[in-house]
């Protein structure tokens, strides 16, 4: 087949035609042959039939007459037919009657048995059976057997002819087709040729010549068209190719540039990488990057060293299990896997590790998951630091701190104990001395005892200073932040110092600027301490003149204000070179000062520390011989001016618009009084001497507006207070006014003289605002009602303030001396005292009766004050009442106050009990009892 | 055997039309004298047809009675008789068959005789021709001897 497939069209077609012809002819011949054969056979059959019939007819008679011979003779006539092989005549029963055999046929040739009529073609014989009938009756049969020679010969002949004919035809076909095929093949071959040439030379300009308009022609046409298109496309392609080449060139140039650039960038990167590598390798911390399986991707030198490898490269691809024992490696692995899986970084995790020598170490590790640009975790970055040493140091520090704290605690305890141990007996000494002084004594005894008292006071001061100083140095001082009335606090402080000032004939003045907030938040007791110190010093170093305490606001920022306190005296002054020194501990301006002036030299130091703690400054301005001004600033927070004034029972309308004549030679004093009076919306007119006062009174009277109230100082030059009053009383038209006298010191007999002169009030300076206000109010109010006006003194004020001011006080104190002391103090003031020696006794007493106040000693046997108070408070939870409990304690340590307050105490008094403080406390509770104010708003003095 | 022959003879012989009454009348075989076949002829011929004529067999005593037959068989017994019979039948379309010696020579048309134990017959063609009976050549071919005719002995 391939042979045919690959031969030329010509041959193919020829072959096809020849084959076709062959097949056609063969078929035809075959058909004809078959037809001939069939017809020949039929002919033969009919021939033979006819013969048989004839013979039959002829031999019928023989058969009928049983004449075998004649039959046989007749049969032998068949000799004439060489094709007849044999013939046989049968009787009606099928028995052979007569036979004929052709010459040469073997005698054994068997006659076929009688069969049906008909012809039967066997391999090379035709056997024909015909019935012989006589007169319409079948009398027998005749069989003639003929060979097929004729047929075969005919066929042979026919075949031969066929073959010849076929051959000739083929030949003819071949020849003719060869010629005629050209019609078809030529154009095709031409096309093929052209195509081959086109392909060979790649010359698309060639064209095939069209021949005819048949399919081949169309093909040629298409072919040509195709070539044309190809040409066009070629051209286009060429064009595109050139363009492409240009572009490629351009691109190549660009790429080249890019490549150059990239190489540069890579170089830069490489450099950077080297730097970074150098950096991370030289960092003492461990730096590494691990993959998802915790195998090292990157590691620095430190890591390598830690793991015991020589170079970081050795670590790559390995994980902790290759270097560490299983347990440790498992821990590391789990930690890292946690970071990877959760996607959460773990920062500064402390873990135990091993170094290459197998020593245990502490490592602080930070591990952060590493993410690819899609945000998926691909590994982690770790940084670790060996903190073994650090940890050790920390431990040591911890130990040191604990030791220091222990030492500090020991110090505190010591101080506390000391405080208690020292103060308790001292309290006893001082208290008893006071009590003794209140009894009848001879002059001599009084002198002695007063000396004892003075010494005791000094001793107490010294001890307090020392303790304070120790506390400060030990850092055991805490500043409170409680609300308190600045003016009140200051005034009460100064009151305690007034006596000393007056003794030396010094004026003690107090002036608080109006801008200064009424209520501030701070440590009032420490403030008081500073003021006491400075004023005390001022008194000490001033022989004559005045000591003025001023308070101003320096700056104000929101609620915070910086107040400047000034203590100005007219004393000896401080030399310049000593001005710094005096603030230092244990130094004084003059070492001989100790002799002359007394004092520990700690006062200013303590004040300085306190001022510093209050975030202020302290400094001094001084002129030798003229005086000194000590300034200090403190930061205070202005608090809401809650009503913390107590005991003011005077309605403001009473005072409004009332004209007052103020007589005082001291300018500062006048200013102070004026200020106070203006505050209360009164109309003060200050004058500086008695003469001026008289003049004012007269002119006012003439004007028709007499003064309803006169406020006069006692100590004045030329004409003193009493003289003035006498003068006024001598002129009846002036004496309608109410007169109040203010004096620095209360001498005996003054009160009586005032009474004589009809002075409405006799008050001591420095006077507290509230006191003055009350006095004024009472004086004016009393004026409304006629009748004898009782002299109002400080004491009487006290008394009027506390009508039936007999408080029932429970004193819980175990120390007998202190007990007696406190009891005396209280009873002298007219209060009723019940004594308990232990907390338990106190509780029992409280069950039996009610008390206005409980003074609870903190340290008692069996049950101490704190516990007892706590118990009281517990009980009160259900009843809702509130028993006033004030602590008495020798401790003055930081924290004590908190403890007392925590236990439920309302206040706090230190032992030794200062009578003044006790008085204040009692005043407070008496007033409170009257007013019914809540306890929580009041800030208790500390002392 | 002879009966069959007789039958077959008729098959090869054509009678002139006047021999029969009509087209469908029977072809009669007659025996004169005693039946030599003793009924065998009846047995074998009855019911058959020749040329679509039914075949019947009649037996007569006298020859004159047999004139209506087409085939008369004369038994051997009556030699003289035969001659008389033949003389009577001469010219009539009756096939005379006999078995006497020289039957054919005496004017009988077909004469049986035995040869080698086989039944052969002779045919007198002249007589047949005289009687206007055509005898098929085939039959003639089978006869041993044919008297008269073109073939003649």
């Amino acid at each position: 087949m391939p042979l045919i497939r690959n031969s030329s069209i010509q041959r193919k077609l020829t072959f096809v035609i020849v084959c076709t012809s062959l097949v056609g002819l063969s078929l035809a011949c075959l058909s004809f042959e078959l037809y001939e054969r069939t017809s020949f056979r039929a002919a033969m059959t009919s021939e033979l039939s006819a013969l048989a019939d004839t013979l039959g007819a002829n031999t019928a008679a023989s058969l009928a007459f049983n004449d075998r011979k004649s039959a046989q003779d007749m049969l032998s006539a068949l000799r004439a037919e060489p094709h007849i092989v044999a013939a046989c005549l049968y009787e009606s029963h099928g028995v052979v009657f007569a036979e004929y055999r052709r010459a040469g046929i073997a005698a054994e040739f068997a006659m076929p048995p009688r069969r049906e009529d008909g012809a039967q073609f066997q391999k090379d014989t035709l056997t024909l059976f015909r019935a012989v009938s006589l007169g319409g009756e079948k009398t027998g049969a005749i069989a003639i057997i003929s060979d097929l020679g004729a047929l075969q010969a005919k066929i042979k002949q026919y075949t031969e002819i066929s073959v010849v004919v076929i051959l000739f035809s083929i030949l003819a076909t071949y020849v003719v087709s060869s010629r005629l095929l050209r019609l078809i093949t030529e154009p095709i071959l031409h096309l093929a040729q052209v195509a081959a040439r086109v392909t060979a030379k790649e010359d698309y300009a060639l064209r095939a010549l069209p021949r005819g308009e048949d399919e081949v022609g169309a093909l040629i046409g298409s072919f040509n068209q195709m070539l044309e298109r190809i040409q066009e496309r070629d051209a286009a392609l060429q064009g595109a190719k050139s363009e492409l080449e240009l572009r490629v060139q351009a691109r190549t140039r660009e790429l080249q540039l890019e490549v150059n650039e990239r190489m540069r960038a890579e170089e830069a990167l490489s450099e950077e990488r080297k730097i970074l590598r150098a950096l991370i390798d030289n960092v003492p911390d461990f730096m590494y990057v691990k993959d998802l399986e915790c195998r090292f991707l990157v590691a620095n030198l430190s890591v390598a060293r830690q793991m015991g490898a020589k170079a970081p490269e050795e670590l790559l691809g390995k994980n902790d299990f290759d270097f560490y024992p299983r347990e440790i490696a498992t821990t590391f692995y789990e930690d890292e896997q946690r970071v990877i899986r959760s996607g959460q970084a773990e920062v500064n995790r402390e873990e135990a590790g091993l170094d290459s020598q197998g020593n245990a170490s502490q490592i602080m590790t930070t591990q952060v998951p590493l993410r690819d640009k899609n945000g998926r975790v691909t590994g982690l970055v770790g940084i670790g630091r060996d903190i073994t040493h650090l940890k050790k140091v920390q431990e040591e520090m911890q130990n040191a701190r604990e030791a220091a704290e222990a030492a500090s605690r020991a110090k505190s305890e010591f101080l506390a104990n000391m405080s208690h141990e020292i103060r308790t007996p001292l309290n006893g000494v001082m208290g008893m001395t006071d009590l003794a002084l209140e009894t009848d004594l001879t002059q001599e005894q009084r002198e002695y005892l007063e000396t004892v008292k003075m010494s005791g006071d000094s001793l107490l001061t010294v001890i307090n200073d020392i303790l304070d100083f120790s506390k400060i140095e030990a850092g055991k001082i805490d500043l409170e932040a409680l609300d308190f009335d600045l003016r009140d606090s200051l005034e009460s402080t100064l009151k305690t110092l007034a006596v000393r000032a007056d003794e030396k004939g010094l004026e003690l003045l107090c002036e608080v600027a109006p801008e200064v907030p009424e209520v501030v938040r701070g440590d009032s007791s420490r403030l008081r301490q500073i003021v006491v110190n400075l004023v005390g010093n001022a008194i000490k170093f001033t022989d004559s003149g005045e000591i003025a305490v001023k308070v101003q606001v320096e700056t104000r920022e929101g609620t915070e204000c910086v107040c400047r306190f000034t203590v100005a005296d007219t004393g000896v002054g401080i030399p310049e070179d000593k001005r710094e020194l005096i603030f230092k501990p244990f130094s004084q301006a003059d070492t001989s000062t100790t002799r002359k002036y007394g004092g520990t030299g700690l006062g200013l130091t303590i004040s300085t520390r306190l001022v510093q703690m209050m975030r202020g400054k302290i400094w001094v301005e001084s002129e030798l011989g003229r005086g000194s001004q000590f300034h200090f600033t403190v930061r205070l927070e202005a608090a809401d001016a809650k009503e913390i004034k107590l005991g003011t029972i005077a309605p403001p309308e009473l005072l409004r618009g009332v004209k007052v004549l103020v007589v005082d030679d001291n300018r500062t004093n006048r200013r102070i009084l004026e200020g106070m009076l203006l505050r209360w919306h009164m109309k003060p007119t200050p004058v500086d001497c008695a003469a001026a006062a008289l003049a004012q009174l007269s002119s006012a009277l003439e004007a028709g507006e007499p003064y309803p109230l006169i406020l006069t100082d006692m100590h004045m030059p030329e004409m003193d207070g009493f003289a003035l009053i006498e003068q006024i009383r001598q002129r009846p038209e002036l004496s309608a006014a109410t007169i109040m006298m203010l004096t620095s010191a209360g001498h005996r007999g003054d009160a009586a003289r005032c009474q004589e002169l009809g002075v409405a009030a006799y008050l001591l300076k420095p006077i507290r605002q509230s006191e003055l206000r009350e006095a004024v109010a009472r004086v004016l109010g009393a004026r409304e009602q006629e009748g004898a006006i009782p002299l109002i003194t400080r004491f009487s004020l006290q008394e009027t303030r506390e009508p039936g001011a007999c408080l029932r006080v429970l004193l819980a104190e175990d120390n007998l001396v202190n007990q007696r002391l406190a009891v005396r103090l209280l009873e002298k003031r007219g209060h009723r005292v019940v004594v308990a020696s232990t907390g338990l006794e106190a509780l029992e007493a409280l069950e039996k009766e009610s008390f206005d106040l409980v003074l609870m000693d903190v340290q008692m046997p069996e049950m101490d004050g704190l516990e007892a108070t706590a118990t009281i408070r517990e009980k009160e939870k259900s009843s809702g009442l509130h028993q006033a409990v004030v602590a008495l304690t020798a401790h003055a340590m930081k924290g004590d106050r908190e403890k007392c307050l925590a236990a439920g105490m309302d206040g706090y008094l230190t032992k030794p009990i200062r009578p003044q403080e006790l008085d204040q406390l009692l005043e407070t509770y008496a007033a409170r009892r009257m007013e019914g104010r809540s306890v929580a708003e009041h800030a208790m003095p500390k002392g | 055997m002879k009966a069959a022959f007789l039958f077959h003879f008729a098959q090869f012989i054509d009678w002139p039309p006047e021999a029969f009454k009509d087209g469908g009348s029977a072809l009669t075989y007659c025996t004169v004298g005693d039946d030599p076949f003793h009924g065998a002829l009846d047995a074998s011929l009855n019911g058959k047809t020749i040329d679509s004529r039914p075949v019947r067999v009649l037996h007569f005593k006298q020859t004159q009675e047999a004139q209506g037959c087409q085939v008369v068989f004369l038994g051997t017994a009556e030699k003289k008789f035969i001659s008389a019979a033949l003389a009577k039948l001469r010219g009539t379309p009756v096939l005379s068959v006999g078995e006497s010696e020289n039957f054919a020579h005496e004017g009988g048309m077909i004469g049986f005789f035995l040869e080698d134990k086989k039944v052969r017959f002779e045919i007198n063609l002249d007589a047949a021709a005289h009687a206007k009976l055509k005898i098929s050549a085939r039959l003639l071919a089978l006869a041993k001897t044919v008297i008269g005719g073109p073939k003649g002995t």
Side-chain angles (χ1 to χ4, degrees), chain A residues 805-822:
Chain A
C806 169
L807 293 171
R808 284 195 307 285
V809 180
L810 175 64
L811 175 70
E813 166 70 67
D814 61 325
N815 185 291
L816 279 175
V817 172
N818 288 337
Q819 248 185 42
R820 279 194 17 214
L821 183 62

Side-chain angles (χ1 to χ4, degrees), chain A residues 56-71 74 134-137 139, chain B residues 1 4-9 11-12 48-51 118-121 138-139 141-143:
Chain A
N58 288 348
T59 55
S62 310
L63 196 65
F65 297 112
N66 214 15
D67 192 350
R68 199 160 267 161
K69 187 170 176 290
S70 62
M74 255 180 239
L134 186 62
E137 267 183 46
T139 50
Chain B
M1 183 64 64
F5 275 44
L6 279 169
F7 177 72
H8 288 310
F9 287 150
Q11 285 177 319
F12 290 101
K48 294 204 171 119
T49 52
I50 296 175
D51 286 337
K118 288 186 84 145
V119 179
R120 311 299 308 270
F121 54 89
R138 288 189 235 149
L139 187 61
L142 289 173

Side-chain angles (χ1 to χ4, degrees), chain A residues 53-156:
Chain A
D53 279 341
T54 313
L55 265 174
N58 288 348
T59 55
S62 310
L63 196 65
F65 297 112
N66 214 15
D67 192 350
R68 199 160 267 161
K69 187 170 176 290
S70 62
Q72 217 130 338
D73 286 339
M74 255 180 239
L75 285 181
S76 9
L78 288 173
R79 250 186 320 222
E81 280 288 329
H83 290 301
I84 303 228
V85 174
C88 187
L89 188 64
Y90 300 91
E91 283 185 328
S92 53
H93 304 295
V95 176
V96 173
F97 186 68
E99 297 178 349
Y100 158 73
R101 286 198 178 84
R102 187 172 65 194
I105 297 296
E108 298 86 42
F109 180 78
M111 288 296 156
R114 170 76 201 276
R115 278 205 288 268
E116 297 292 316
D117 280 0
Q120 197 171 17
F121 279 93
Q122 273 143 346
K123 199 168 100 194
D124 33 40
T125 54
L126 169 62
T127 308
L128 182 77
F129 275 91
R130 284 304 264 206
V132 173
S133 47
L134 186 62
E137 267 183 46
K138 283 205 187 132
T139 50
I142 182 160
I144 302 183
I145 304 171
S146 162
D147 69 17
L148 303 175
L151 181 69
Q152 282 163 347
K154 191 113 199 208
I155 287 177
K156 184 159 154 228

Side-chain angles (χ1 to χ4, degrees), chain B residues 3 45 96 99 114 117:
Chain B
L45 291 180
S96 53
E99 13 181 40
L114 279 173
K117 292 187 185 128

